[in-house]
């Protein structure tokens, strides 16, 4: 079910993702402000919509500086990796019937693989900066993202079992009668928590944690290199919201409205929820984070997988 | 776990609260009369300069941003020859106002002093001096001080007894 004009889809998705990521920066600032009884950026353009554009122009004109003590090429490569991996993940996201770049039959694995590769970006950024705070941030990122990756994959396997396929289009089609969030509620919660940890968003932004590590892994970055980490993070949120929509909330399926609109509405809901999480929750301590990951989330996701498998074997075979 | 969900809900409810932001250039915040903003030099009710160039404000100023030079007019009345405040250094602490014995120097509720050039932040006496008495409309230093200047001799100040005539005390 590839669209007839792959190039058009490709360009549309690329520009769509980047534009929405830009819009998301604005939306996040406005929503955070709303929940803190402020206005947020409201001066540049109508409702401050052009704020991101202004910020981007500013970032482009900043000095593009590589610290003399940094490992130059790794330092330059690191922000590119994060952009590359999140944008690559969009290849397999089915936005609507026919609007998908590549209908891979291992789409879920591809998504997991790409998000694992994304860890490199953060770790290398922290390593190449040759700065103790950046290194600490990078180390935290490595530990956090690798541990949360484990049960991120496991929490997805429930849906994969139910749909009987790794193909995201098949998974959406399998939710014809019931969204997977109902039978896989635990999987959904676990996947969402893992997704936040993977995108290094508050409350799991320990690799960055401004209040202790300056800016964590990107302390030494400035200008558009920093901008790429920044935009990469927002595209990452977009990606995780898309994946939640596709895997647990029936993707583009919905009555009356066209599929792409349904997809958009559901994704926006989760984007909003991610921002609410950031507005409301404090950051846990690092050992708490790891303990939750290994002692609570991992057993829960294993149990979820086992029970789902058992039920499926017992009743649907 | 429950507390996390309750926090989320409580924060969400803030979406329906009134916003506290004052949209500055269009809306202005109310600044109280005692607000410590732009500094002025006031005049006494008779229209004369209040400042007696005693240097106390310059000494009190923690950032040394007041510069002045004392001089005297023909009647023996002291006043500053020049009086300069560098507002790019002033921290609006109000110590100068506290130190001033004559209520000459006063801070006002005006904060809109932005400039593009740092040099424009240096205010001279003609910029500082206003035509009224500021916050203390009735106070007139020379009328209550026991100093002799032109037009006012010893013992002629308000609430001041005439000086004792030492000779009249002789037996
Ligand atoms: S307000 Fe404070 S800093 Fe400013 S001139 Fe007066 S004493 Fe100096
Ligand atoms: S402003 Fe007040 S404290 Fe400063 S020199 Fe004049 S009289 Fe003295």
């Amino acid at each position: 079910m590839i669209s007839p004009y792959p190039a058009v889809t490709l360009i549309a998705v690329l520009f769509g993702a980047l534009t929405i990521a830009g819009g998301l920066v604005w939306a996040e600032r406005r929503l955070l402000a709303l929940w803190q009884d402020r206005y947020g950026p409201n001066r540049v353009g109508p409702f401050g919509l052009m704020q991101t554009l202004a910020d981007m122009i500013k970032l482009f004109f900043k000095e593009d500086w590589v610290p003399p003590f940094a490992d130059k090429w790794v330092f330059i490569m690191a922000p590119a990796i994060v952009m590359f991996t999140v944008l690559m993940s969009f290849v397999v996201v089915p936005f609507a019937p026919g609007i998908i770049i590549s209908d891979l039959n291992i789409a879920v694995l591809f998504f997991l693989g790409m998000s694992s590769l994304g860890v490199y970006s953060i770790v290398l950024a922290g390593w190449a900066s040759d700065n103790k705070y950046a290194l600490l941030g990078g180390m935290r990122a490595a530990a956090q993202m690798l541990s949360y990756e484990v049960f991120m994959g496991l929490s997805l396997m429930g849906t994969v079992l139910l749909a009987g396929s790794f193909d995201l289009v098949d998974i959406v089609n399998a939710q014809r009668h019931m969204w997977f969030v109902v039978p896989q509620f635990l999987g959904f919660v676990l996947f969402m928590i893992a997704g936040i940890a993977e995108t290094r968003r508050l409350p799991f932004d320990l690799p960055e944690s401004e209040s202790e590590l300056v800016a964590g892994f990107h302390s030494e970055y400035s200008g558009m290199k920093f901008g790429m980490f920044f935009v990469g993070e927002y595209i990452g949120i977009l990606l995780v919201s898309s994946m939640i929509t596709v895997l647990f909330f029936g993707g583009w399926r919905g009555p009356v409205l066209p599929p792409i609109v349904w997809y958009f509405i559901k994704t926006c809901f989760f984007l909003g929820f991610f921002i609410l999480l950031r507005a409301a929750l404090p950051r846990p301590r690092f050992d708490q984070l790891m303990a939750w990951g290994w002692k609570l989330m991992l057993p829960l996701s294993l149990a979820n997988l086992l029970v789902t498998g058992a039920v499926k074997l017992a009743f649907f075979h | 776990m429950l507390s996390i969900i309750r926090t989320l809900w409580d924060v969400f409810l803030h979406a329906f609260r009134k916003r506290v932001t004052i949209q500055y250039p269009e809306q202005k915040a109310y600044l109280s009369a005692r607000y410590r903003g732009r500094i002025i030099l006031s005049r006494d009710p008779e229209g004369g300069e209040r400042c007696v160039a005693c240097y106390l404000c310059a000494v009190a100023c923690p950032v040394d941003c007041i510069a002045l030079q004392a001089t005297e007019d023909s009647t023996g009345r002291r006043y500053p020859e020049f009086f300069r405040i560098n507002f790019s250094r002033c921290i609006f602490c109000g110590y100068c106002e506290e130190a001033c014995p004559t209520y000459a120097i006063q801070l006002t509720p005006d904060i809109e002093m932005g400039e593009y050039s740092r040099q424009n932040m240096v205010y001279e006496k003609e910029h500082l001096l206003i035509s009224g008495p500021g916050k203390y409309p009735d106070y007139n230093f020379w009328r209550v001080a026991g100093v002799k200047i032109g037009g006012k001799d010893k013992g002629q100040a308000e609430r001041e007894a005439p000086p004792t005539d030492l000779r009249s005390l002789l037996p």
Side-chain angles (χ1 to χ4, degrees):
Chain A
M1 210 169 50
I2 306 279
S3 70
Y5 308 105
V8 177
T9 321
L10 185 77
I11 292 170
V13 169
L14 184 62
F15 278 84
L18 288 172
T19 314
I20 292 176
L24 196 55
V25 178
W26 170 81
E28 167 153 50
R29 292 176 64 183
R30 288 294 301 218
L31 280 177
L32 282 181
L34 177 69
W35 287 318
Q36 294 166 357
D37 301 341
R38 305 182 282 118
Y39 280 96
N42 63 351
R43 295 282 150 170
V44 196
F47 303 106
L49 264 169
M50 297 289 116
Q51 183 68 44
T52 315
L53 207 64
D55 288 346
M56 212 158 74
I57 294 172
K58 187 194 98 174
L59 277 180
F60 268 115
F61 282 96
K62 283 226 168 179
E63 187 184 357
D64 190 26
W65 191 66
V66 178
F69 45 80
D71 189 343
K72 189 158 177 241
W73 291 111
V74 183
F75 188 84
I76 294 172
M77 279 303 294
I81 296 175
V82 74
M83 284 291 273
F84 174 79
T85 54
V86 283
L87 283 176
M88 276 304 271
S89 303
F90 272 99
V91 165
V92 296
V93 176
F95 299 97
I99 309 187
I100 174 170
I101 298 171
S102 173
D103 190 3
L104 284 182
N105 56 0
I106 49 153
V108 174
L109 296 181
F110 183 82
F111 161 72
L112 289 173
M114 276 302 151
S115 77
S116 309
L117 281 182
V119 183
Y120 275 107
S121 161
I122 313 303
V123 175
L124 289 180
W127 178 256
S129 298
D130 200 6
N131 164 320
K132 59 185 169 188
Y133 297 116
L135 183 61
L136 278 172
M139 271 161 47
R140 283 185 183 187
Q144 166 182 336
M145 291 170 80
L146 286 180
S147 3
Y148 277 65
E149 198 105 292
V150 173
F151 70 83
M152 181 180 209
L154 285 174
S155 63
L156 285 184
M157 289 310 133
T159 30
V160 173
L161 264 182
L162 288 184
S165 168
F166 275 116
D167 188 333
L168 288 174
V169 177
D170 287 350
I171 291 180
V172 173
N173 284 330
Q175 301 179 62
R176 210 172 294 113
H177 304 299
M178 185 178 21
W179 289 356
F180 280 159
V181 66
V182 183
Q184 280 294 312
F185 186 72
L186 187 60
F188 157 66
V189 172
L190 291 170
F191 179 75
M192 195 163 72
I193 295 174
I196 306 166
E198 278 297 302
T199 46
R200 308 174 303 284
R201 288 280 299 174
L202 242 123
F204 296 130
D205 71 334
L206 286 119
E208 222 182 292
S209 49
E210 306 87 347
S211 45
E212 6 179 332
L213 296 184
V214 191
F217 62 92
H218 61 61
S219 300
E220 295 287 351
Y221 282 87
S222 70
M224 215 44 213
K225 289 210 221 42
F226 161 75
M228 272 160 91
F229 277 123
F230 196 64
V231 174
E233 181 185 323
Y234 281 88
I235 303 181
I237 309 166
L238 188 60
L239 178 68
V240 171
S241 308
S242 302
M243 289 309 276
I244 295 177
T245 309
V246 167
L247 289 167
F248 295 101
F249 285 84
W252 66 74
R253 299 198 161 271
V256 189
L257 296 172
I260 188 79
V261 176
W262 270 113
Y263 166 82
F264 199 70
I265 291 175
K266 293 175 187 173
T267 309
C268 281
F269 176 80
F270 288 106
L271 292 175
F273 187 70
F274 274 107
I275 298 172
L276 179 61
L277 280 178
R278 171 173 179 180
L281 298 182
R283 175 190 305 137
R285 227 167 49 212
F286 192 66
D287 59 321
Q288 290 172 335
L289 183 84
M290 295 310 270
W292 282 348
W294 289 108
K295 293 184 189 158
L296 184 68
M297 303 298 181
L298 183 65
L300 273 180
S301 54
L302 278 174
N304 182 43
L305 181 59
L306 284 178
V307 171
T308 314
V311 169
K312 170 123 183 166
L313 266 185
F315 296 106
F316 298 99
H317 259 275
Chain B
M1 193 64 215
L2 216 60
S3 72
I4 290 181
I5 292 168
R6 206 190 61 213
T7 312
L8 283 176
W9 178 244
D10 284 352
V11 170
F12 179 73
L13 286 184
H14 271 263
F16 307 106
R17 295 269 186 87
K18 199 173 154 336
R19 311 198 200 210
V20 293
T21 313
I22 295 172
Q23 303 266 29
Y24 166 58
E26 295 92 37
Q27 280 173 330
K28 304 241 155 113
Y30 169 73
L31 302 178
S32 76
R34 291 176 170 195
Y35 195 91
R36 300 198 306 262
R38 181 169 58 88
I39 299 173
I40 50 118
L41 286 174
S42 56
R43 290 176 188 272
D44 59 31
E46 290 167 16
E49 268 177 56
R50 266 185 182 149
C51 177
V52 294
C54 65
Y55 295 101
L56 283 178
C57 51
V59 171
C61 179
V63 292
D64 272 354
C65 67
I66 304 181
L68 69 149
Q69 172 67 56
T71 186
E72 243 174 56
D73 68 3
S74 51
T75 64
R77 187 179 159 133
R78 279 168 65 98
Y79 69 95
E81 195 179 349
F82 66 82
F83 197 108
R84 188 175 297 141
I85 298 184
N86 183 351
F87 278 112
S88 69
R89 288 170 72 181
C90 176
I91 56 174
F92 300 99
C93 60
Y95 286 3
C96 47
E97 181 171 0
E98 268 184 53
C100 181
T102 66
Y103 292 146
I105 195 163
Q106 294 177 10
L107 279 78
T108 60
D110 173 21
I111 49 168
E112 295 176 333
M113 320 173 56
E115 291 286 354
Y116 283 102
S117 159
R118 195 164 275 263
Q119 197 54 42
N120 293 344
M121 299 295 287
V122 178
Y123 281 42
E124 296 292 341
K125 192 164 107 178
E126 67 259 35
H127 308 128
L128 296 167
L129 202 59
I130 61 166
S131 50
K135 285 182 259 188
Y136 306 92
D138 302 324
Y139 184 75
N140 190 336
F141 173 75
W142 294 108
R143 291 281 153 250
V144 295
V147 202
K148 174 180 162 204
I149 50 161
K152 191 202 85 173
D153 211 347
K154 279 233 182 241
Q156 292 180 351
E158 290 164 24
R159 301 197 303 279
E160 189 188 23
T164 315
D165 185 355
L166 294 177
R167 282 168 226 281
S168 72
L169 286 176
L170 286 176

